Amino acid sequence: MKKFVIERELPGAGNLSPEELQAISQTSCSVVNDLGKPYHWIQSFVTADKIYCIHIAESEDVIREHAMKGGFPVTSIAEVKAVIDPTTSTVTV
């Protein structure tokens, strides 16, 4: 399984209400459950006009399938090659 960062252009994303964000979350979870493939939505970050999502899946194609079935935009998908943070003494791959 690979980790991906998905960028989603969504004008006004930062102005979405808690109820609207909850609806998006519920849709994503429903699609994940119905995919029939290993897939994990880890977390999403909402900015003014974009949502950045961290997902774990077998491939970019599965990420795109999730987006299509959920009606989510996909601006870009990037596979995570390493993770670092302020406590990093070795790189996690």
Side-chain angles (χ1 to χ4, degrees), residues 9-66:
E9 292 263 349
L10 191 61
N15 296 320
L16 292 169
S17 70
E19 294 79 19
E20 290 169 313
L21 292 171
Q22 183 179 33
I24 291 169
S25 173
Q26 289 172 340
T27 298
S28 181
C29 289
S30 246
V31 172
V32 167
N33 289 335
D34 292 341
L35 274 178
K37 300 173 185 172
Y39 196 101
H40 303 284
W41 169 33
I42 304 301
Q43 193 171 38
S44 294
F45 303 91
V46 180
T47 65
D49 294 314
K50 294 182 182 180
I51 298 178
Y52 296 90
C53 304
I54 309 300
H55 290 214
I56 296 174
E58 294 176 335
S59 69
E60 186 175 320
D61 289 340
V62 179
I63 299 286
R64 290 191 184 283
E65 180 181 352
H66 171 268

